[in-house]
Amino acid sequence: MVATTSTGEGWSSRSAFILAAIGAAVGLGNIWRFPTLAGESGGGAFVIFYIACVFLLGLPLVLSEIFIGRVGQTDAVGSIRRVSAQSKASPNWSIFGAIGALAAFLIVSFYSVVAGWVLYYAGVMGGDLVQAIMAGDPFRGALAGESQSQIQQRLGDMFASPGLLLAMHLVFMGLTLYIVARGVSSGIEKAATYLMPMFFVLLVGLVIYGAVEGDIGDAIAFLFTPDWSKLTPQVMNSALGQALFSLSLGVAGLITYGSYIKEGSGLGPTSALIAVADTCVALLAGLMIFPIVFAVGLDPAAGPTLVFQTLPFAFQTMPGGALFAFLFFVLILVAAVTSSISLLEVPTAWGIGERGWSRPKSALIFGTGAFVVGIACLLGYNIWSDVRPLGFWSLFAETDILDTVDGFTGKVMLPVGALLTSIFIGWKADENLLRATTGLSPLAFSLWRFLIAWLCPIAVAIILATGLFPAILGGQ
Ligand code: TRP
């Protein structure tokens, strides 16, 4: 057995862990990806199916990952090895911890690039707000005097500028690296305790703004009235994948965070709280964005550019738009920071636990590595726009570098990680250990065991198969 160094670090309290875990879950996935997918998929049916996925599939996996970390008390690989040893299972199961660390490393590389776009937009909107204030009209709409096409052109101009993208990526990755290098209680936990309350205040403020100035009735109808004919296999597949991504599952992120829990049990309610909070934030993000989109009569199905092109234009026509557009991008940025640190933490903990590196060294190695991979991703928007890294694979034949890294991690690595986690917990882990560590009631325990042993592997195998072979779903 390979020796594993316990990282020896820990959360200062249970609520610190919960806040950090919610911070990890709530990110670009909730505020950018969820509304994008809900809009593209036609609303209600997607949303309801998504919620079912979160609770039937996501929640059992959240509890499973936290359980592994809680027992293991070290990085994901070492933690799985420890659970295996205590369950008389093969130590080779720890391979999914290593896959997870690699996936988290790859995800943070492009996550930081996308967060960099948000940073740039926050800067643009901040500058616009300053101008509005200087002009004595702080409550004017955003980007006064720009035409819709000028507003939309900004995104293309940004993509065409490698230097700008690089600078934003550098700032964001640097911040992520700095926080992770400072450690669990003085870095990650501190960031969460400052940023999460700020996030919730901003979110509630923006939802109220949308309700007052926008068309909340239309938004509610759009998000919650199901048209089941829109629930195609593709839509179900993307809802399942989004549930995994939004809860930060499948890359050992919650194993790593769970390993810093020192005392007590109550893992069931804690997991439920994380799933509920993450879902509420996604829904609130929808209730913030769609009233604004509908008020101006824009298309909810704009896709990934919804947040960068559709919304800024909507903010232009609304009173207070300059101020709220700025706050909106700050909100996304805050959410992105607490998620990116959770991603970088997974490989960093691996370096500490399995390689015996110091925390700053490990964070520096993986943070720099992810920065370099991210550079390739951002160059894929301009000078390397013809590069197709997995072009030989029909699934990725048309995708640029960033979308390839995103697609490969999201469609392959994340479901594989989740699949192995569910099989490991459902079929290999020692039942008494599971019972004692989670502290679930007998009924909740049976339900969890059923979902993790049967529903999760089957459902995740379907996401994996249909993600890899879209032809199964027909068309494409
Ligand atoms: N859940 C985060 C979001 O919604 C992103 C994220 C953080 C993540 N850690 C993860 C996604 C681990 C997958 C795996 O933005």
Side-chain angles (χ1 to χ4, degrees):
M1 192 167 150
V2 189
T4 299
T5 342
S6 169
T7 48
E9 293 183 274
W11 308 110
S12 60
S13 66
R14 192 176 119 107
S15 54
F17 163 68
I18 293 175
L19 215 52
I22 293 176
V26 170
L28 297 174
N30 302 62
I31 304 174
W32 172 58
R33 214 160 174 257
F34 175 80
T36 299
L37 290 175
E40 285 177 335
S41 317
F46 169 87
V47 172
I48 291 168
F49 188 76
Y50 168 78
I51 294 175
C53 292
V54 165
F55 289 99
L56 294 176
L57 217 79
L59 178 53
L61 282 163
V62 169
L63 180 56
S64 301
E65 285 205 14
I66 296 178
F67 159 82
I68 297 172
R70 173 74 187 88
V71 172
Q73 293 292 303
T74 184
D75 71 278
V77 169
S79 287
I80 298 167
R81 211 186 285 127
R82 196 160 295 167
V83 174
S84 301
Q86 293 189 23
S87 307
K88 302 191 176 52
S90 158
N92 292 337
W93 280 97
S94 63
I95 187 80
F96 74 80
I99 298 175
L102 178 63
F105 169 80
L106 291 172
I107 294 175
V108 77
S109 71
F110 73 81
Y111 203 86
S112 167
V113 173
V114 178
W117 308 345
V118 178
L119 180 60
Y120 170 64
Y121 272 75
V124 169
M125 296 302 178
D128 180 54
L129 179 60
V130 170
Q131 279 183 10
I133 294 171
M134 307 261 270
D137 189 7
F139 296 109
R140 71 159 160 76
L143 308 172
E146 286 189 30
S147 67
Q148 183 169 9
S149 64
Q150 276 173 316
I151 291 177
Q152 293 186 341
Q153 187 51 36
R154 182 169 279 111
L155 191 66
D157 289 347
M158 178 184 79
F159 286 155
S161 165
L164 176 62
L165 294 172
L166 185 68
M168 297 298 129
H169 172 46
L170 177 67
V171 171
F172 190 85
M173 189 64 89
L175 180 64
T176 303
L177 203 169
Y178 172 75
I179 297 171
V180 170
R182 296 208 47 172
V184 176
S185 55
S186 43
I188 299 174
E189 180 179 318
K190 231 194 198 138
T193 30
Y194 283 111
L195 295 177
M196 290 313 287
M198 178 173 159
F199 172 82
F200 283 110
V201 171
L202 283 170
L203 180 65
V204 171
L206 279 154
V207 171
I208 294 173
Y209 172 76
V212 173
E213 293 294 337
D215 206 334
I216 185 106
D218 277 6
I220 292 175
F222 178 72
L223 284 172
F224 299 108
T225 315
D227 170 358
W228 296 113
S229 69
K230 294 200 171 137
L231 198 61
T232 61
Q234 283 93 339
V235 166
M236 290 193 229
N237 191 49
S238 74
L240 280 163
Q242 172 64 10
L244 294 183
F245 186 88
S246 192
L247 291 169
S248 309
L249 290 167
V251 311
L254 287 169
I255 300 182
T256 309
Y257 271 21
S259 76
Y260 305 129
I261 303 179
K262 293 295 167 209
E263 86 309 319
S265 53
L267 300 188
T270 300
S271 307
L273 196 57
I274 295 168
V276 168
D278 184 65
T279 308
C280 288
V281 171
L283 296 176
L284 283 172
L287 287 179
M288 155 179 82
I289 289 174
F290 290 115
I292 300 174
V293 170
F294 287 133
V296 192
L298 293 167
D299 180 11
T305 61
L306 181 73
V307 159
F308 296 106
Q309 292 181 326
T310 309
L311 274 185
F313 177 64
F315 278 121
Q316 185 180 53
T317 57
M318 303 176 76
L323 173 64
F324 284 93
F326 172 65
L327 295 179
F328 174 74
F329 285 102
V330 172
L331 172 93
I332 311 185
L333 205 54
V334 168
V337 173
T338 52
S339 295
S340 67
I341 55 184
S342 80
L343 286 161
L344 184 58
E345 177 63 15
V346 183
T348 301
W350 179 87
I352 301 170
E354 303 300 310
R355 285 285 166 269
W357 296 337
S358 71
R359 170 170 285 275
K361 175 177 170 187
S362 192
L364 191 65
I365 289 174
F366 290 111
T368 311
F371 175 66
V372 172
V373 177
I375 295 178
C377 291
L378 66 86
L379 291 179
Y381 279 85
N382 33 71
I383 57 179
W384 286 350
S385 60
D386 294 334
V387 176
R388 301 282 174 267
L390 297 179
F392 54 85
W393 185 346
S394 62
L395 192 59
F396 298 107
E398 301 298 325
T399 36
D400 59 41
I401 303 176
L402 189 146
D403 285 349
T404 303
V405 181
D406 181 6
F408 185 74
T409 51
K411 288 183 178 160
V412 183
M413 301 183 84
L414 216 115
V416 165
L419 184 64
L420 294 175
T421 309
S422 61
I423 296 173
F424 179 67
I425 294 295
W427 299 95
K428 295 291 168 183
D430 180 70
E431 182 151 345
N432 292 325
L433 183 63
L434 290 173
R435 213 184 281 278
T437 312
T438 57
L440 292 179
S441 71
L443 180 65
F445 186 79
S446 312
L447 186 62
W448 177 46
R449 285 302 299 258
F450 169 74
L451 293 173
I452 201 74
W454 294 99
L455 190 72
C456 289
I458 293 171
V460 177
I462 292 174
I463 315 185
L464 191 59
T466 53
L468 288 185
F469 308 103
I472 301 175
L473 298 179
Q476 296 183 30

